[in-house]
């Protein structure tokens, strides 16, 4: 296979001044019913989005260790959000970026990434085991072999991903006088692991609620096809800080769509699948913990989801009727007690790979060959 080397950007260090510094909004819209309100960190308003923090951290860490040479290409698999962060980091630090997406990546995001100078590779079919994620990683391995000096950040297993969110924790600590409950979506596990430690040094009793997607394997559920993008995984990222979570919620797409649209109508600020999922759970937490200060992170804004979350034809075609969205979670005693097909809550959080008798599932190691 021959692959043309991507063009190196000049490097614009001044862009790093745009990293983070996002506002905190008070959310009081009915989600789906009344609640006392919670705080939302609007990461979608940052240049490069929330994952620009992680992207810059991973590239700087690799450069310091000598793993990434000046001007060398960066290759990563993404469903979109980290891709935008890497586009930002690549421009700022002078590295060409090659991203592997899949057929489900929205046309808007494809156009946006290419406009920012990214070379985008699209895989057209999911792998028999591991789905789109495994298919993207197979193509990524091919690119790594074909591009001399190429660096793979490996966002799911790179501790620099987690370290990149220290600035997010510092901003939250400065913007809030107190915090009782933090609600975080979980995909790579980076931002939840990166902010909970510093915030618990400020507020030792802080509770952490993880929000996953139905069909995701992260917290021990069986892998299923997932409609939602940006949270959940079909592998087990090593960045997930299982011991830090007090409970986990699995949220379905109907709940996320209903919440995003209610946010847009009632609070103006909204976002995509992850934002809808965490907002639903944060409103619930504010209701069931009267007097508690609750905060969450909205990872991105609504624009890339105009043809999905906010499109009536899309939601109708996928059976996402807001009238069917759950208004409260179903409780289960253990992550494997029942399969979550809608909003489910569990107060027992375990690492699926450390559970007694658990075998390491295929696809856990991103470099594992697919059978």
């Amino acid at each position: 296979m021959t692959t043309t080397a991507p063009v190196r950007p000049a490097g614009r260090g001044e862009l790093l001044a745009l990293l983070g510094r996002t506002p905190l909004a008070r959310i009081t819209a009915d989600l789906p019913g009344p609640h006392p309100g919670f705080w939302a960190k609007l990461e979608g308003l940052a240049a490069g989005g929330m994952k620009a923090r992680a992207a810059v951290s991973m590239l700087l860490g690799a450069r310091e260790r000598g793993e990434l040479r000046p001007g060398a290409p960066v290759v990563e698999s993404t469903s979109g959000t980290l891709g935008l962060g890497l586009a930002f980091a690549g421009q700022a630090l002078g590295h060409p970026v090659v991203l592997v997406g899949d057929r489900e990546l929205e046309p808007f995001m494809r156009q946006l990434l290419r406009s920012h100078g990214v070379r985008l590779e699209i895989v057209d079919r999911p792998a028999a085991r591991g789905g789109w994620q495994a298919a993207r990683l197979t193509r990524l391995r091919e690119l790594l072999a074909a591009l001399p000096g190429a660096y793979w950040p490996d966002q799911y297993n790179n501790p620099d991903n987690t370290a990149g969110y220290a600035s997010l924790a510092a901003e939250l600590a400065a913007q809030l006088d107190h915090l009782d409950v933090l609600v975080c979506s979980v995909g790579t596990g980076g931002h939840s692991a990166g902010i909970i430690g510093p915030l618990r040094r400020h507020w030792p009793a802080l509770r952490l609620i993880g929000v996953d997607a139905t069909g995701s394997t992260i917290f021990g559920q069986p892998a299923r096809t997932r409609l939602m993008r940006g949270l959940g995984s079909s592998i087990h990222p090593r960045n997930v800080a299982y011991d830090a979570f007090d409970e986990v919620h699995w949220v379905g797409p109907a709940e996320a769509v209903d919440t995003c649209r209610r946010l847009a109508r009632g609070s103006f600020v909204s976002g995509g699948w992850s934002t809808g999922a965490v907002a639903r759970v944060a409103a619930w937490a504010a209701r069931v913990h009267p007097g508690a200060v609750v905060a969450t992170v909205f990872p991105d804004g609504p624009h890339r989801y105009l043809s999905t979350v906010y499109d009536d034809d899309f939601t109708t075609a996928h059976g996402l009727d807001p009238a069917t969205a759950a208004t409260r979670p179903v409780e289960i005693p253990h992550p494997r007690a029942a399969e979550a097909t809608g909003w489910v809550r569990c107060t027992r959080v375990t690492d699926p790979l450390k559970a007694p008798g658990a075998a390491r599932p295929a696809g856990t190691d991103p470099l594992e060959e697919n059978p």
Side-chain angles (χ1 to χ4, degrees):
M1 180 185 70
T2 59
T3 302
T4 304
V7 177
R8 174 186 177 180
R12 306 287 181 187
E14 65 273 15
L15 291 176
L16 296 178
L18 302 176
L19 200 63
R21 300 180 179 87
T22 51
L24 195 68
R26 185 69 179 170
I27 306 298
T28 57
D30 290 356
L31 300 176
H35 59 92
F38 61 89
W39 295 102
K41 184 75 163 156
L42 306 183
E43 286 291 277
L45 296 181
M50 179 179 78
K51 292 196 175 182
R53 298 180 192 261
V56 169
S57 176
M58 290 189 290
L59 298 197
L60 287 177
R63 283 169 40 149
E64 289 170 4
R65 292 186 298 273
E67 298 169 4
L68 174 62
R69 299 197 311 270
V74 174
V75 183
E76 182 58 286
S77 159
T78 182
S79 61
T81 309
L82 179 72
L84 192 58
L86 281 172
F88 174 88
Q91 279 196 30
L93 301 175
H95 294 278
V97 175
V98 181
L99 297 175
V100 182
D102 58 57
R103 198 177 61 206
E104 302 298 315
L105 185 63
E106 303 90 346
F108 169 85
M109 184 55 74
R110 298 188 195 195
Q111 293 162 4
L112 184 61
L113 290 170
R114 287 175 174 138
S115 296
H116 286 309
V118 166
R119 194 176 100 197
L120 192 59
E121 300 264 337
I122 299 294
V123 295
D124 60 4
R125 64 175 64 87
R129 295 181 66 177
W132 287 116
Q133 204 162 16
R136 295 198 306 263
L137 290 168
T138 296
R139 178 60 179 147
L140 182 147
R141 287 192 288 270
E142 296 171 351
L143 290 165
L144 286 174
L147 294 172
Y151 172 71
W152 174 34
D154 187 9
Q155 58 170 322
Y156 291 94
N157 304 299
N158 188 336
D160 290 330
N161 176 345
T162 298
Y165 293 105
S167 60
L168 177 55
E171 290 171 28
L172 282 166
Q175 290 168 314
L176 292 166
D177 294 326
H178 182 71
L179 185 59
D180 296 298
V181 180
L182 177 66
V183 179
C184 288
S185 61
V186 184
T188 69
H191 87 274
S192 54
I195 63 179
I196 190 58
L199 291 182
R200 278 185 174 151
R201 287 193 282 275
H202 283 270
W203 304 296
L206 177 61
R207 291 180 58 81
L208 177 62
I209 300 177
V211 181
D212 199 2
T214 54
S216 166
T217 66
I218 293 177
F219 289 96
Q221 284 275 305
R224 296 288 184 268
T225 300
R226 302 190 312 280
L227 182 63
M228 298 197 289
R229 315 273 287 179
L231 76 164
S233 178
S234 57
I235 62 176
H236 293 83
R238 287 192 287 270
N239 283 333
V240 178
Y242 289 97
D243 292 345
F245 291 96
D246 294 284
E247 60 185 87
V248 60
H249 291 235
W250 293 270
V251 175
E255 288 78 33
V257 165
D258 180 51
T259 307
C260 284
R261 294 185 176 200
R262 288 176 180 273
L263 281 170
R265 290 193 303 269
S267 292
F268 196 81
V269 295
S270 192
W273 301 112
S274 298
T275 293
V278 295
R280 192 84 162 194
V281 175
W284 169 88
R287 279 195 299 272
V288 301
H289 298 290
V293 179
V294 179
T296 189
V297 177
F298 286 2
D300 58 8
H303 302 93
R304 68 173 286 198
Y305 305 96
L306 297 180
S307 62
T308 53
V309 171
Y310 301 94
D311 185 275
D312 290 340
D313 291 337
F314 176 90
T315 56
T316 299
H318 290 86
L320 304 181
D321 182 356
T324 67
T327 59
R328 61 180 59 86
V330 173
E331 307 274 344
I332 60 173
H334 187 278
R336 292 189 176 88
E339 183 173 351
T341 57
W343 187 5
V344 170
R345 173 185 182 234
C346 184
T347 57
R348 182 175 178 182
V349 180
T350 60
D351 181 342
L353 302 185
K354 293 182 180 178
R360 189 174 184 86
T364 298
D365 181 351
L367 286 179
E368 175 184 87
E369 293 294 336
N370 293 312

